Amino acid sequence: MKIKTAEFIKGITGTNEILEDGKKQVAFVGRSNVGKSSLINSLVGVKDLARSSSTPGRTQEINFFLINNRTYFVDLPGYGFAKTSKRKREKIRKMIIWYLTYSGVKPHRVILIIDARVGIKEFDIEMLSLLQEENIKTIVVANKMDKVKKSVEHKIIEKIKDQLSDNAKFLPYSAKTFLNKDRLIEFIFSNF
Ligand SMILES: Nc1nc2c(ncn2[C@@H]2O[C@H](COP(=O)(O)OP(=O)(O)OP(=O)(O)O)[C@@H](O)[C@H]2O)c(=O)[nH]1
Ligand SMILES: [Mg+2]
């Protein structure tokens, strides 16, 4: 499977203007600043398709990108950025949960991204159980592996795996070096 075309379609903030046209959706979720937007860019091979930033809280909307004219990649805002107000954090949390459960769109796959150096946090656990309840095929991706020292790589990966259920899918990744890009694309598009 090769990604040949990618275009931004729209961003939504409310909970009543969902894009639902029968095309399959692949959603990218995770805490703020873990690299969701960068990871999407790395997969499609376009540097600035999804806006990324070193300032956490960059993505505030649910953004839809059309891939190969037939699948949507959905970039969700990040949860848990301490500097945004509690009200805003709660709004983002509700938006993510709404998208995943009540919006009428059941994403075909979810890529749950964590920062390899940070590991799995409370919100990730909450998301994982929600995704399991909804029966959504999910993979946990530990991004920013290029920032992890070789000597602790193994330990970090084992620690993350310990926190996941036995049948959970997991992949170390780097949006910078494209580590495991092919394997992630394979997961996303298998049995489509
Ligand atoms: N070294 C390294 N840096 C990365 C990687 N992925 C993302 N970054 C950096 O991490 C920062 C955050 O990346 P974003 O892609 O904006 O993260 P996000 O999860 O979309 O953030 P929000 O939209 O705020 O939730 C940026 O400075 C990126 O350049 C990676 O694999 N390796
Ligand atoms: Mg983002």
Side-chain angles (χ1 to χ4, degrees):
M1 176 73 202
K2 265 213 149 45
I3 295 178
K4 289 185 186 134
T5 61
E7 61 178 306
F8 174 70
I9 301 297
K10 72 170 185 172
I12 63 167
T13 49
T15 54
N16 51 5
E17 23 178 2
I18 190 70
L19 190 75
E20 196 192 0
D21 58 6
K23 292 190 180 80
K24 283 177 180 158
Q25 303 197 0
V26 176
F28 298 78
V29 303
R31 286 163 55 83
S32 196
N33 209 41
V34 294
K36 295 174 293 299
S37 303
S38 304
L39 187 142
I40 290 178
N41 292 340
S42 76
L43 289 177
V44 301
V46 181
K47 222 174 161 207
D48 303 312
L49 183 71
R51 264 181 278 165
S52 70
S53 164
S54 53
T55 317
R58 184 70 188 88
T59 309
Q60 304 261 341
E61 306 180 315
I62 301 180
N63 289 315
F64 294 86
F65 301 94
L66 184 60
I67 307 299
N68 289 352
N69 282 317
R70 64 168 204 152
T71 308
Y72 289 111
F73 277 8
V74 184
D75 188 14
L76 291 159
Y79 177 79
F81 177 46
K83 279 188 189 156
T84 47
S85 67
K86 200 172 170 197
R87 208 169 131 239
K88 205 162 181 186
R89 262 185 288 162
E90 200 43 38
K91 188 184 168 212
I92 286 177
R93 181 174 167 274
K94 285 206 175 118
M95 215 157 102
I96 298 168
I97 292 172
W98 166 79
Y99 170 77
L100 292 173
T101 52
Y102 308 114
S103 69
V105 167
K106 183 171 165 170
H108 197 62
R109 298 277 190 279
V110 165
I111 319 302
L112 192 145
I113 303 159
I114 61 171
D115 183 326
R117 301 163 304 173
V118 177
I120 293 175
K121 294 289 187 187
E122 204 183 319
F123 174 69
D124 304 314
I125 304 271
E126 185 191 351
M127 275 300 110
L128 283 170
S129 55
L130 191 148
L131 291 163
Q132 200 171 16
E133 274 168 35
E134 296 292 319
N135 243 320
I136 297 172
K137 274 195 185 157
T138 302
I139 191 167
V140 176
V141 170
N143 190 33
K144 307 197 186 184
M145 279 305 289
D146 60 285
K147 291 225 178 189
V148 171
K149 278 203 204 106
K150 275 265 171 285
S151 56
V152 289
E153 234 173 50
H154 182 73
K155 207 170 131 191
I156 277 185
I157 290 174
E158 287 310 307
K159 193 178 165 201
I160 295 168
K161 280 187 179 164
D162 277 351
Q163 286 174 275
L164 297 173
S165 58
D166 284 345
N167 53 2
K169 287 199 181 305
F170 169 74
L171 200 62
Y173 195 87
S174 168
K176 197 175 171 186
T177 66
F178 306 108
L179 170 74
N180 284 330
K181 174 177 162 172
D182 291 349
R183 288 175 70 185
L184 187 53
I185 287 184
E186 198 184 300
F187 168 80
I188 291 174
F189 292 107
S190 62
N191 300 319
F192 239 59

